[in-house]
Amino acid sequence: MKQTIAGVVLAGGQSRRFGRPKAFALHQGTPFFAWSVAALAPIADELYLISHPALVGEFRRRTDIPVLLDVERYRGSGPLAGIYTAMERSQSDWVFILPCDMPYMDKDVTERLAAYADPSFDAVVPLHDGRPEPLVALYHRRLRPLIAKLLDAGERRMVSLLDGARVRYVDAQPLAADETVWRNVNTEEEYR
């Protein structure tokens, strides 16, 4: 039986270092968030954007993809809250998350990574230069109670989720010939 995947773009951050909402910055004339959507669309059975309340209206003007706010209980609690929110909304087996600030990510990488989804694991996470990339990863919906437990305890770090899950780590090198795909844009200097 085919495992289903919800593609989720995390676009709820404050973009403090960038100075304006990164999701709407342009790369080759297209907003950053749209590059993440395009990388997820071929492998996703459903797509969602997780947004900050101040950005919802702008997203809804720019796309017909459902735009969600973190569930009230965990609003403002970072990526873990976004993953939890997607799991609450979606019926898919897996949630594949991408941040909105990786405009170089492409569908070949997401397709290769999704191929590693295996129900005997709780998460599929690339290792880039020996370090996990937990915001470019798949999480099985069975992790929802663990995420709630972490958030209820005030724990917001992604590493805490990885520590409590059966993670299949995948070397990033065979996933992408071009190292640029792993680059995220945090500041205006990196953007230029």
Side-chain angles (χ1 to χ4, degrees):
M1 193 167 107
K2 180 188 179 296
Q3 298 180 90
T4 53
I5 296 174
V8 177
V9 177
L10 299 177
Q14 298 289 316
S15 301
R16 284 184 193 98
R17 288 184 289 169
F18 197 69
R20 60 190 167 102
K22 287 190 278 187
F24 307 122
L26 300 180
H27 171 63
Q28 297 179 358
T30 301
F32 281 13
F33 84 89
W35 289 99
S36 295
V37 168
L40 289 169
I43 51 98
D45 298 285
E46 53 187 333
L47 287 165
Y48 298 100
L49 286 161
I50 309 286
S51 177
H52 184 276
L55 305 179
V56 171
E58 186 63 24
F59 275 119
R60 289 186 176 149
R61 279 190 287 282
R62 293 175 182 240
T63 183
D64 59 357
I65 295 168
V67 182
L68 309 177
L69 293 175
D70 287 337
V71 295
E72 184 68 38
R73 180 175 175 182
Y74 301 128
R75 193 157 296 158
S77 296
L80 280 178
I83 297 168
Y84 182 87
T85 297
M87 289 177 175
E88 279 282 294
R89 174 71 179 263
S90 169
Q91 294 304 307
S92 291
D93 301 307
W94 294 88
V95 169
F96 192 141
I97 62 165
L98 277 183
C100 72
D101 64 355
M102 293 183 79
Y104 309 101
M105 184 54 64
D106 68 48
K107 68 178 185 62
D108 294 337
V109 176
T110 58
E111 287 170 347
R112 288 184 195 117
L113 190 59
Y116 285 95
D118 176 332
S120 61
F121 291 94
D122 300 321
V124 179
V125 179
L127 282 177
H128 181 241
D129 291 335
R131 291 192 334 241
E133 289 280 352
L135 298 183
V136 181
L138 291 100
Y139 297 95
H140 198 279
R141 69 177 295 105
R142 78 172 72 88
L143 286 173
R144 189 173 62 152
L146 173 58
I147 295 170
K149 184 178 174 183
L150 290 169
L151 290 169
D152 287 340
E155 181 55 69
R156 299 168 52 167
R157 296 174 306 138
M158 291 297 297
V159 69
S160 297
L161 176 60
L162 300 182
D163 287 347
R166 292 169 300 175
V167 182
R168 183 177 200 170
Y169 289 104
V170 179
D171 183 16
Q173 197 162 20
L175 295 174
D178 182 359
E179 277 289 306
T180 308
V181 299
W182 303 105
R183 193 174 142 219
N184 66 340
V185 179
N186 290 310
T187 65
E188 280 285 352
E189 290 70 33
E190 291 170 344
Y191 177 52
R192 291 188 193 109

